[in-house]
Amino acid sequence: MDTGDLSFAMAIAYNGPGLSYNRRHGAVSDTYSSVVDSANLIILAEQPLVAETPLALQEEQLTPNPRFFIRNHFGIPTLDARAWRLAIGGTVNQPRSLSLADLHQLPARRIEATVECAGNGRSFFPPPTEGNQFGYGAVSTASWTGVSLVDVLGPNPFKPGTVEVLFTGADHGFEKNVGAEISFQRSLPVDVALHPDTILAYEMNGEPLPIDHGFPVRLLVPSWYGVASVKWLLEIRALDQPFQGYFQVQRYIYPSDHGPIPLRERRVRAVITQPTPGEVVKMGPVKVRGVAWSGNQPITKVELSTDGGATWYSVDLEPSESPYAWQRWQTVWQATEPGSHTLKVRATDASGAVQPEIAAWNLLGYGNNGIQSLAVEVRAS
Ligand SMILES: Nc1nc2c(c(=O)[nH]1)N[C@H]1C(S)=C(S)[C@@H](COP(=O)(O)O)O[C@H]1N2
Ligand SMILES: [Mo]
């Protein structure tokens, strides 16, 4: 199987400031947009950069780009948008390479989608697992603009026997568990790759994709855990064998008796954005709100408990804007008793999936959608 060992010289154009492609004027400006608001993100690691968004700041439907969580495995590659080419190869009928201008010629598709890292909530797993100890902030929502991969590939793109499509990012580094230099690579089954909502995104919330989120082009698989949405995309390769790379079979998997199961759609989950853990609130009406999401299913019900899970009631849920984006919910809790109270929230989606009290523990700490518990202190004013 040829998994496309790209030359790293091609991956890193140069070390100077990046260039961003300006669609409106068809020209190139000489700054790429790194917009990270590090003061308002929780930085878990600097090299490579891993940062989560404080839940209290998720007050809008769309997360502003500077505060969108970041999950990198290697250093950030600075690509020259003018020189950038996307290679399409492997078991395709027409190998070729495309420029950013070529992508812009195709019909644009805009999709509002939440991106969640599979490690979101990992720090709440007992016993602890290895990996970034995320709280609940490795999730954000943006409106992504790009082109459907199926439009890029055209009709009848694959040779018979094609089973997966592999996506390679420009970032790479030494991986000690492999003992070698590897690129960030992840594959999709053919049906998912050809779904019209699987897009190559070049804009995020109406701005050119910021460098931290994959400039100039990233894949977006809107209902899957974030790992599928390969950033700094350089190559798309059709495969006649399942991909066996590190991020496919050793990481971002649930172990099973039949071998590793690569993660796919996000599990159903709700979180509270207000009040915040430990907050002191005044006795009387207390606004409680947050967001809820799942994979490709809309959320049908969000329930709140203010007595540590003994009783539950349904809260107001905003209609879904997009099958892929979180939905905001809110309620008013009549806090009549002073003292410490435990709030819990749980979501149900249209498939009937509901959050478990405690999610099944797994070695690498993925998919922890166990119910959030949050303690607040009620004081008589
Ligand atoms: N090329 C590349 N793509 C990548 C990654 C990466 O390290 N390199 N991380 C993945 C993971 S695990 C997640 S959760 C998302 C995070 O996207 P964001 O940094 O834009 O929030 O990107 C995915 N795509
Ligand atoms: Mo992730």
Side-chain angles (χ1 to χ4, degrees):
M1 176 180 61
D2 178 3
T3 56
D5 189 20
L6 287 162
S7 114
F8 294 134
M10 177 190 164
I12 305 299
Y14 66 111
N15 287 324
L19 295 168
S20 72
Y21 188 89
N22 184 317
R23 201 147 66 101
R24 216 160 321 154
H25 307 290
V28 165
S29 75
D30 53 4
T31 52
Y32 57 71
S33 47
S34 178
V35 291
V36 175
D37 179 4
S38 43
N40 281 306
L41 286 171
I42 302 162
I43 310 288
L44 278 79
E46 279 179 20
Q47 265 172 352
L49 182 59
V50 180
E52 62 178 299
T53 313
L55 277 186
L57 298 183
Q58 296 284 21
E59 281 299 304
E60 295 148 78
Q61 176 64 12
L62 301 182
T63 312
N65 292 352
R67 284 197 235 127
F68 200 99
F69 89 96
I70 296 166
R71 171 60 171 119
N72 295 334
H73 294 77
F74 303 116
I76 294 173
T78 55
L79 300 178
D80 178 344
R82 287 177 304 192
W84 180 84
R85 305 289 298 186
L86 176 63
I88 300 179
T91 57
V92 290
N93 288 320
Q94 262 189 9
R96 70 211 124 106
S97 102
L98 299 173
S99 68
L100 196 51
D102 292 334
L103 293 187
H104 286 149
Q105 295 303 311
L106 294 166
R109 187 165 183 99
R110 193 169 179 136
I111 294 181
E112 191 178 304
T114 294
V115 177
E116 181 187 24
C117 184
N120 194 30
R122 177 183 285 129
S123 66
F124 306 110
F125 259 131
T129 64
E130 67 170 276
N132 290 293
Q133 295 302 305
F134 288 118
Y136 290 117
V139 59
S140 300
T141 299
S143 174
W144 308 89
T145 307
V147 292
S148 296
L149 177 56
V150 66
D151 288 346
V152 174
L153 294 171
N156 185 29
F158 303 130
K159 293 190 169 147
T162 300
V163 293
E164 287 190 355
V165 184
L166 176 64
F167 300 85
T168 301
D171 51 332
H172 56 90
F174 182 81
E175 173 48 62
K176 62 178 188 319
N177 296 317
V178 178
E181 181 92 0
I182 58 171
S183 290
F184 189 87
Q185 294 186 301
R186 180 91 183 170
S187 70
L188 292 176
V190 165
D191 63 319
V192 178
L194 295 182
H195 190 287
D197 293 341
T198 296
I199 64 170
L200 305 186
Y202 47 71
E203 278 180 18
M204 180 179 179
N205 291 330
E207 292 166 16
L209 198 61
I211 185 149
D212 314 277
H213 300 288
F215 178 85
V217 174
R218 82 179 298 169
L219 179 67
L220 181 78
V221 187
S223 57
W224 284 35
Y225 279 116
V227 64
S229 296
V230 176
K231 306 193 276 188
W232 311 291
L233 196 58
L234 282 188
E235 192 195 37
I236 297 175
R237 175 166 287 261
L239 305 178
D240 56 11
Q241 295 290 319
F243 178 56
Q244 300 291 331
Y246 180 66
F247 297 106
Q248 194 77 25
V249 298
Q250 293 188 56
R251 286 293 181 276
Y252 298 97
I253 50 105
Y254 294 123
S256 89
D257 294 345
H258 313 289
I261 303 170
L263 302 188
R264 297 178 46 115
E265 286 87 356
R266 297 183 292 265
R267 289 177 170 172
V268 62
R269 177 182 336 247
V271 291
I272 299 169
T273 57
Q274 188 194 334
T276 54
E279 195 171 322
V280 176
V281 298
K282 257 197 278 175
M283 206 158 80
V286 177
K287 263 195 198 139
V288 183
R289 51 186 178 179
V291 285
W293 67 93
S294 181
N296 44 16
Q297 302 287 337
I299 297 295
T300 49
K301 186 166 66 172
V302 175
E303 297 161 287
L304 183 75
S305 172
T306 57
D307 54 10
T311 57
W312 296 85
Y313 62 92
S314 289
V315 303
D316 294 332
L317 179 64
E318 285 182 13
S320 79
E321 296 281 328
S322 147
Y324 305 117
W326 62 24
Q327 289 163 252
R328 310 204 69 88
W329 59 266
Q330 58 185 324
T331 192
V332 176
W333 166 40
Q334 296 298 337
T336 52
E337 297 286 321
S340 176
H341 295 259
T342 299
L343 308 185
K344 290 184 172 217
V345 65
R346 78 177 172 213
T348 303
D349 74 17
S351 76
V354 58
Q355 286 181 257
E357 182 70 32
I358 295 172
W361 186 91
N362 58 94
L363 193 63
L364 297 167
Y366 297 127
N368 184 4
N369 69 335
I371 291 171
Q372 182 190 8
S373 271
L374 184 152
V376 292
E377 183 72 20
V378 175
R379 277 200 201 142
S381 45

